[in-house]
Amino acid sequence: GIGDKILWNSDMQDEAGEVIGTGSGHCTQLDPERNFFCSFIIYLDDRGHIAGQGIQRTEPLDSIFPITGGTGEFEGITGTMHSRPIEDRARFIYELEYQVPTAE
């Protein structure tokens, strides 16, 4: 119900199914339609972290999350993460569109 929380920590895979890091986060249910407010962090092995937050809309709707920051290779990152739920929200496909400032 409203206020219920979901926590996760799972492997992140590329298109070929290779594990490239870990995704972790939490979501809180906002309404009876099962929309959630979520915060996430993605750790890409030896490259750094990408963080973001936003509304995960009710399946089967896709959602777009703003990327709020990063570390390591992703320091100063801006962009969005497109989230598509599959398997009744048991898994998600994430597509990131981002820019990282270059050192001058």
Side-chain angles (χ1 to χ4, degrees):
I2 296 171
D4 285 353
K5 297 190 182 304
I6 298 170
L7 302 171
W8 79 90
N9 183 57
S10 57
D11 288 340
M12 300 291 290
Q13 299 172 339
D14 63 14
E15 294 91 3
E18 296 294 320
V19 174
I20 57 171
T22 305
S24 301
H26 60 89
C27 297
T28 303
Q29 186 172 336
L30 298 173
D31 54 34
E33 290 77 31
R34 297 191 70 221
N35 292 295
F36 287 80
F37 175 80
C38 300
S39 294
F40 66 87
I41 191 157
I42 297 169
Y43 172 69
L44 297 174
D45 292 341
D46 300 322
R47 296 177 62 196
H49 294 84
I50 299 171
Q53 61 185 23
I55 305 297
Q56 178 67 51
R57 300 185 313 157
T58 304
E59 191 172 350
L61 299 174
D62 293 357
S63 300
I64 297 177
F65 295 91
I67 293 172
T68 57
T71 65
E73 188 178 310
F74 306 104
E75 185 81 31
I77 191 172
T78 58
T80 58
M81 181 183 78
H82 182 196
S83 171
R84 181 167 33 112
I86 57 174
E87 298 175 18
D88 194 27
R89 288 193 186 187
R91 292 174 37 126
F92 291 81
I93 294 175
Y94 300 126
E95 296 173 353
L96 282 73
E97 292 185 25
Y98 64 90
Q99 295 180 328
V100 177
T102 57
E104 295 181 33

Short mmCIF file of all heavy atoms in Angstrom, two decimals, residues 59-89:
data_model
loop_
_atom_site.label_atom_id
_atom_site.label_comp_id
_atom_site.label_asym_id
_atom_site.label_seq_id
_atom_site.Cartn_x
_atom_site.Cartn_y
_atom_site.Cartn_z
N GLU A 59 3.69 -0.06 -14.08
CA GLU A 59 3.93 -0.95 -15.21
C GLU A 59 2.65 -1.08 -16.03
O GLU A 59 1.58 -1.14 -15.44
CB GLU A 59 4.36 -2.31 -14.67
CG GLU A 59 4.88 -3.21 -15.73
CD GLU A 59 5.48 -4.49 -15.13
OE1 GLU A 59 5.65 -4.60 -13.93
OE2 GLU A 59 5.77 -5.37 -15.91
N PRO A 60 2.73 -1.06 -17.33
CA PRO A 60 3.90 -1.22 -18.18
C PRO A 60 4.53 0.09 -18.62
O PRO A 60 5.34 0.10 -19.55
CB PRO A 60 3.35 -1.99 -19.38
CG PRO A 60 1.98 -1.39 -19.55
CD PRO A 60 1.49 -1.14 -18.13
N LEU A 61 4.18 1.21 -18.00
CA LEU A 61 4.73 2.50 -18.42
C LEU A 61 6.22 2.60 -18.14
O LEU A 61 6.70 2.16 -17.09
CB LEU A 61 4.00 3.64 -17.70
CG LEU A 61 2.50 3.75 -17.96
CD1 LEU A 61 1.89 4.83 -17.07
CD2 LEU A 61 2.24 4.03 -19.43
N ASP A 62 6.95 3.17 -19.07
CA ASP A 62 8.37 3.45 -18.87
C ASP A 62 8.50 4.72 -18.04
O ASP A 62 7.56 5.52 -17.94
CB ASP A 62 9.06 3.66 -20.22
CG ASP A 62 9.12 2.39 -21.06
OD1 ASP A 62 8.68 1.34 -20.57
OD2 ASP A 62 9.61 2.48 -22.18
N SER A 63 9.67 4.91 -17.46
CA SER A 63 9.94 6.10 -16.64
C SER A 63 11.28 6.69 -17.05
O SER A 63 12.16 5.98 -17.54
CB SER A 63 9.98 5.72 -15.16
OG SER A 63 8.74 5.17 -14.77
N ILE A 64 11.43 7.98 -16.81
CA ILE A 64 12.70 8.66 -17.06
C ILE A 64 13.12 9.34 -15.78
O ILE A 64 12.37 10.13 -15.20
CB ILE A 64 12.58 9.66 -18.22
CG1 ILE A 64 12.23 8.93 -19.51
CG2 ILE A 64 13.89 10.44 -18.36
CD1 ILE A 64 12.01 9.82 -20.70
N PHE A 65 14.32 8.99 -15.30
CA PHE A 65 14.87 9.53 -14.06
C PHE A 65 15.98 10.52 -14.38
O PHE A 65 16.86 10.21 -15.20
CB PHE A 65 15.48 8.42 -13.20
CG PHE A 65 14.49 7.41 -12.70
CD1 PHE A 65 14.22 6.26 -13.43
CD2 PHE A 65 13.85 7.60 -11.50
CE1 PHE A 65 13.32 5.32 -12.96
CE2 PHE A 65 12.95 6.67 -11.02
CZ PHE A 65 12.68 5.52 -11.76
N PRO A 66 16.02 11.67 -13.72
CA PRO A 66 17.19 12.53 -13.87
C PRO A 66 18.38 11.92 -13.13
O PRO A 66 18.22 11.35 -12.05
CB PRO A 66 16.77 13.85 -13.22
CG PRO A 66 15.60 13.54 -12.36
CD PRO A 66 14.99 12.26 -12.87
N ILE A 67 19.54 11.99 -13.74
CA ILE A 67 20.78 11.59 -13.08
C ILE A 67 21.22 12.79 -12.25
O ILE A 67 21.31 13.92 -12.76
CB ILE A 67 21.85 11.19 -14.11
CG1 ILE A 67 21.41 9.91 -14.83
CG2 ILE A 67 23.21 11.01 -13.44
CD1 ILE A 67 22.29 9.51 -16.00
N THR A 68 21.48 12.56 -10.97
CA THR A 68 21.77 13.67 -10.05
C THR A 68 23.24 13.82 -9.70
O THR A 68 23.62 14.81 -9.07
CB THR A 68 20.95 13.52 -8.75
OG1 THR A 68 21.26 12.25 -8.16
CG2 THR A 68 19.46 13.59 -9.04
N GLY A 69 24.08 12.86 -10.08
CA GLY A 69 25.51 13.00 -9.79
C GLY A 69 26.27 11.72 -10.03
O GLY A 69 25.69 10.69 -10.39
N GLY A 70 27.58 11.82 -9.84
CA GLY A 70 28.41 10.65 -10.05
C GLY A 70 29.78 10.82 -9.41
O GLY A 70 30.14 11.90 -8.95
N THR A 71 30.54 9.72 -9.41
CA THR A 71 31.89 9.73 -8.88
C THR A 71 32.82 9.09 -9.90
O THR A 71 32.38 8.46 -10.86
CB THR A 71 31.99 8.92 -7.56
OG1 THR A 71 31.72 7.54 -7.84
CG2 THR A 71 31.04 9.46 -6.50
N GLY A 72 34.11 9.20 -9.65
CA GLY A 72 35.09 8.55 -10.52
C GLY A 72 34.98 9.08 -11.95
O GLY A 72 34.92 10.28 -12.18
N GLU A 73 34.91 8.16 -12.89
CA GLU A 73 34.79 8.50 -14.30
C GLU A 73 33.52 9.33 -14.61
O GLU A 73 33.44 10.00 -15.62
CB GLU A 73 34.74 7.19 -15.08
CG GLU A 73 34.80 7.30 -16.57
CD GLU A 73 34.80 5.92 -17.23
OE1 GLU A 73 35.61 5.05 -16.82
OE2 GLU A 73 33.98 5.71 -18.14
N PHE A 74 32.55 9.31 -13.68
CA PHE A 74 31.27 9.98 -13.89
C PHE A 74 31.13 11.28 -13.09
O PHE A 74 30.02 11.81 -12.96
CB PHE A 74 30.13 9.02 -13.56
CG PHE A 74 30.24 7.73 -14.32
CD1 PHE A 74 30.69 6.57 -13.70
CD2 PHE A 74 29.94 7.67 -15.68
CE1 PHE A 74 30.81 5.39 -14.40
CE2 PHE A 74 30.07 6.49 -16.39
CZ PHE A 74 30.50 5.34 -15.75
N GLU A 75 32.23 11.80 -12.58
CA GLU A 75 32.22 13.07 -11.83
C GLU A 75 31.64 14.18 -12.71
O GLU A 75 32.06 14.35 -13.85
CB GLU A 75 33.65 13.44 -11.42
CG GLU A 75 33.74 14.65 -10.56
CD GLU A 75 33.45 14.36 -9.10
OE1 GLU A 75 33.75 13.23 -8.65
OE2 GLU A 75 32.94 15.26 -8.43
N GLY A 76 30.61 14.89 -12.22
CA GLY A 76 30.00 15.98 -12.97
C GLY A 76 28.96 15.52 -13.99
O GLY A 76 28.48 16.32 -14.80
N ILE A 77 28.57 14.26 -13.97
CA ILE A 77 27.63 13.70 -14.95
C ILE A 77 26.28 14.43 -14.92
O ILE A 77 25.82 14.86 -13.87
CB ILE A 77 27.43 12.19 -14.69
CG1 ILE A 77 26.69 11.51 -15.83
CG2 ILE A 77 26.73 11.95 -13.36
CD1 ILE A 77 26.63 9.99 -15.72
N THR A 78 25.69 14.58 -16.10
CA THR A 78 24.31 15.03 -16.24
C THR A 78 23.63 14.12 -17.25
O THR A 78 24.30 13.51 -18.10
CB THR A 78 24.23 16.49 -16.76
OG1 THR A 78 24.91 16.58 -18.02
CG2 THR A 78 24.86 17.46 -15.76
N GLY A 79 22.32 14.01 -17.15
CA GLY A 79 21.60 13.19 -18.11
C GLY A 79 20.39 12.53 -17.51
O GLY A 79 19.87 12.96 -16.47
N THR A 80 19.94 11.46 -18.17
CA THR A 80 18.75 10.75 -17.75
C THR A 80 18.95 9.24 -17.84
O THR A 80 19.79 8.76 -18.58
CB THR A 80 17.53 11.12 -18.62
OG1 THR A 80 17.83 10.83 -19.98
CG2 THR A 80 17.15 12.58 -18.46
N MET A 81 18.14 8.52 -17.06
CA MET A 81 18.09 7.07 -17.14
C MET A 81 16.66 6.68 -17.50
O MET A 81 15.71 7.04 -16.79
CB MET A 81 18.48 6.41 -15.82
CG MET A 81 18.44 4.88 -15.92
SD MET A 81 18.82 4.04 -14.38
CE MET A 81 17.28 4.22 -13.50
N HIS A 82 16.50 5.98 -18.60
CA HIS A 82 15.21 5.47 -19.04
C HIS A 82 15.04 4.08 -18.43
O HIS A 82 15.90 3.22 -18.60
CB HIS A 82 15.21 5.41 -20.57
CG HIS A 82 13.93 4.95 -21.15
ND1 HIS A 82 13.83 4.54 -22.45
CD2 HIS A 82 12.69 4.82 -20.65
CE1 HIS A 82 12.60 4.18 -22.72
NE2 HIS A 82 11.89 4.34 -21.63
N SER A 83 13.95 3.88 -17.70
CA SER A 83 13.70 2.62 -17.00
C SER A 83 12.47 1.94 -17.60
O SER A 83 11.40 2.54 -17.68
CB SER A 83 13.45 2.92 -15.52
OG SER A 83 13.00 1.78 -14.84
N ARG A 84 12.66 0.68 -18.02
CA ARG A 84 11.55 -0.10 -18.59
C ARG A 84 11.38 -1.37 -17.76
O ARG A 84 12.26 -2.24 -17.75
CB ARG A 84 11.84 -0.45 -20.04
CG ARG A 84 10.71 -1.23 -20.67
CD ARG A 84 10.82 -1.32 -22.18
NE ARG A 84 12.17 -1.36 -22.68
CZ ARG A 84 12.73 -2.42 -23.27
NH1 ARG A 84 12.05 -3.52 -23.42
NH2 ARG A 84 13.97 -2.37 -23.70
N PRO A 85 10.26 -1.50 -17.02
CA PRO A 85 10.05 -2.71 -16.21
C PRO A 85 9.72 -3.92 -17.08
O PRO A 85 9.02 -3.81 -18.08
CB PRO A 85 8.87 -2.34 -15.32
CG PRO A 85 8.13 -1.28 -16.06
CD PRO A 85 9.15 -0.56 -16.89
N ILE A 86 10.25 -5.07 -16.68
CA ILE A 86 9.92 -6.35 -17.31
C ILE A 86 9.69 -7.36 -16.19
O ILE A 86 10.06 -7.13 -15.05
CB ILE A 86 11.01 -6.82 -18.30
CG1 ILE A 86 12.37 -6.93 -17.59
CG2 ILE A 86 11.12 -5.87 -19.47
CD1 ILE A 86 13.46 -7.52 -18.48
N GLU A 87 9.07 -8.46 -16.52
CA GLU A 87 8.83 -9.54 -15.55
C GLU A 87 8.12 -9.04 -14.31
O GLU A 87 8.51 -9.32 -13.18
CB GLU A 87 10.15 -10.24 -15.18
CG GLU A 87 10.84 -10.90 -16.35
CD GLU A 87 12.19 -11.47 -15.96
OE1 GLU A 87 12.47 -11.66 -14.77
OE2 GLU A 87 12.97 -11.75 -16.89
N ASP A 88 7.03 -8.27 -14.50
CA ASP A 88 6.22 -7.75 -13.40
C ASP A 88 7.08 -7.04 -12.36
O ASP A 88 7.01 -7.30 -11.17
CB ASP A 88 5.41 -8.87 -12.75
CG ASP A 88 4.31 -8.35 -11.84
OD1 ASP A 88 3.83 -7.21 -12.07
OD2 ASP A 88 3.95 -9.06 -10.89
N ARG A 89 7.93 -6.13 -12.83
CA ARG A 89 8.84 -5.33 -12.01
C ARG A 89 9.90 -6.16 -11.29
O ARG A 89 10.56 -5.67 -10.39
CB ARG A 89 8.09 -4.46 -10.99
CG ARG A 89 7.36 -3.31 -11.59
CD ARG A 89 6.92 -2.36 -10.52
NE ARG A 89 6.09 -1.32 -11.12
CZ ARG A 89 5.66 -0.28 -10.49
NH1 ARG A 89 5.95 -0.11 -9.21
NH2 ARG A 89 4.92 0.62 -11.08
#
